[in-house]
Amino acid sequence: MVCRLPYVAPTRYADNSLQERPGPSRATPFQVPTPPPSESGSPVCPWDDTPDPAGDIPANIVISISATFHPTSDILPTRPDTMLLSSDDVFFYTHRATMLAKSTNHWNGLMPSLCTLRSSDTSMVVPCPEPAPVLNVRVVLHVVYELSCAFYKPSLDVISAAIDAMAAYGIPPKDHIAPSTPLYALILAQAPTNPIAAYVLAASHDLYSLAVPVSSHLLSFPLRSLTDELTEKIGPAYLKRLFFLHYGRLEALRRLLRAPPHPHTPTDRCDFADQQGMTRAWALSSAYLAWDARPDLPASAIAAAFLPLADRLTCYLCKQNLVERANQVIVQWSMVKRSI
């Protein structure tokens, strides 16, 4: 998307777009791009008849404009009246009333309230310290306008930075990251591949409804690998919940393994003394599992530890009791809580 802008030299980026930062922070009438679609499909911003106070206006100077938040976007019925400029020189055309309605601190003090604006302040350029992938946008502005940003496939690092920016701009993350929102679903979809980053994100903003399902992907995470930086971001409350999840599951597993199969009524071929062999074999297998127990121990490992013991037993009733007890442990283990 192309617009002319004075006093600037174009810079070509990796995506072949030409970007450029304007000098003044408040737009004069001739600096406010409101381009109609051109024949090539890219909005072009022609200059109006307002004279240039500096004299010369360089020709063919172009800037980068968001593909979603551009001058002719139909996100809302009204035309955009405020431009946000990212740190990497991309413009986002927004609606001042919408931005202020979602922010509790006037966009971190960068955007005056509607009642304090003069009638001549028809448009603004608001510089923001975030780069385009964060500001966009791919998250922040999409949240403000209640749009899904899944199309852009932002990484968890970008999402995390965007949520930090939301908090700074007075947009409470708790109000916009709930189970029914697109951003919640986007974070949860990336949790299996990067669970600790997703948990840090949820914990640092007290997003309990998100932290609960994310924590189920941390059962295989080694708690000893937590760094001081991560523990500080997680905070004591959510760190305690994560530790209790791990240790609670380990204790539940040991408790399940502790009870051996019930003995059967003595028979001519298998009395109580004979059944002690089954009990000792169970105890040895239980000790093996408990020694190397993990919060994410799969049911297949339990089956592999106990079911082969039945092949070594000559008593049919002993075999039956051992298999039944092993299956009980597997079922009960699958019912142990898997999240904080």
Side-chain angles (χ1 to χ4, degrees):
M1 300 184 180
V2 182
C3 286
R4 293 182 179 179
L5 211 66
Y7 310 124
V8 288
T11 302
R12 186 169 295 278
Y13 282 68
D15 60 356
N16 290 326
S17 63
L18 292 176
Q19 299 189 14
E20 125 99 31
R21 181 184 295 277
S25 61
R26 181 168 305 274
T28 60
F30 64 88
Q31 289 174 308
V32 180
T34 52
S38 67
E39 294 180 1
S40 62
S42 300
V44 179
C45 176
W47 294 100
D48 62 14
D49 296 328
T50 307
D52 177 19
D56 270 339
I57 298 177
N60 299 324
I61 300 298
V62 295
I63 61 174
S64 288
I65 300 176
S66 167
T68 301
F69 301 95
H70 55 83
T72 57
S73 66
D74 57 356
I75 298 175
L76 294 180
T78 57
R79 294 287 296 275
D81 56 12
T82 299
M83 291 178 288
L84 302 185
L85 179 60
S86 67
S87 62
D88 50 356
D89 305 311
V90 180
F91 282 93
F92 301 91
Y93 286 71
T94 64
H95 302 77
R96 188 160 52 233
T98 300
M99 305 290 287
L100 292 175
K102 293 295 179 72
S103 175
T104 60
N105 62 2
H106 301 298
W107 205 252
N108 201 19
L110 296 175
M111 197 176 298
S113 62
L114 294 175
C115 61
T116 61
L117 289 173
R118 302 186 303 270
S119 59
S120 60
D121 293 331
T122 56
S123 57
M124 298 177 58
V125 176
V126 179
C128 298
E130 293 78 21
V134 173
L135 183 62
N136 186 19
V137 7
R138 298 191 178 170
V139 181
V140 178
L141 293 182
H142 280 72
V143 168
V144 170
Y145 283 87
E146 299 181 357
L147 302 173
S148 173
C149 56
F151 171 79
Y152 296 97
K153 298 180 180 179
S155 67
L156 272 178
D157 290 338
V158 170
I159 295 174
S160 181
I163 293 176
D164 290 341
M166 286 171 56
Y169 289 132
I171 307 171
K174 272 189 173 182
D175 296 346
H176 300 278
I177 306 177
S180 59
T181 61
L183 186 53
Y184 178 97
L186 183 61
I187 298 171
L188 195 58
Q190 299 193 41
T193 57
N194 197 354
I196 189 61
Y199 189 77
V200 168
L201 188 158
S204 60
H205 295 281
D206 193 20
L207 302 172
Y208 182 75
S209 62
L210 178 62
V212 170
V214 168
S215 65
S216 65
H217 299 290
L218 286 171
L219 296 180
S220 61
F221 182 80
L223 297 181
R224 62 182 178 274
S225 67
L226 284 171
T227 63
D228 292 342
E229 181 183 2
L230 286 177
T231 55
E232 185 177 353
K233 289 181 179 179
I234 293 173
Y238 284 88
L239 188 63
K240 177 182 176 182
R241 291 187 176 109
L242 183 58
F243 271 80
F244 276 28
L245 170 63
H246 278 230
Y247 290 125
R249 283 183 60 84
L250 290 175
E251 182 57 32
L253 178 62
R254 295 187 182 102
R255 187 171 57 251
L256 291 173
L257 297 176
R258 197 173 299 135
H262 293 292
H264 61 78
T265 304
T267 64
D268 295 338
R269 294 186 177 182
C270 186
D271 56 19
F272 283 123
D274 295 327
Q275 295 180 55
Q276 291 305 309
M278 176 186 66
T279 303
R280 286 193 297 270
W282 179 276
L284 287 173
S285 295
S286 296
Y288 168 77
L289 283 177
W291 179 264
D292 197 30
R294 308 189 315 269
D296 65 332
L297 185 72
S300 59
I302 299 176
F306 291 121
L307 295 183
L309 298 178
D311 298 334
R312 303 179 183 180
L313 300 175
T314 58
C315 175
Y316 171 78
L317 293 177
C318 287
K319 289 184 179 183
Q320 186 179 33
N321 287 351
L322 187 144
V323 171
E324 288 180 357
R325 180 59 188 144
N327 290 332
Q328 287 176 0
V329 171
I330 291 172
V331 171
Q332 291 171 350
W333 175 239
S334 67
M335 297 173 63
V336 175
K337 189 178 180 183
R338 297 180 57 86
S339 60
I340 60 172

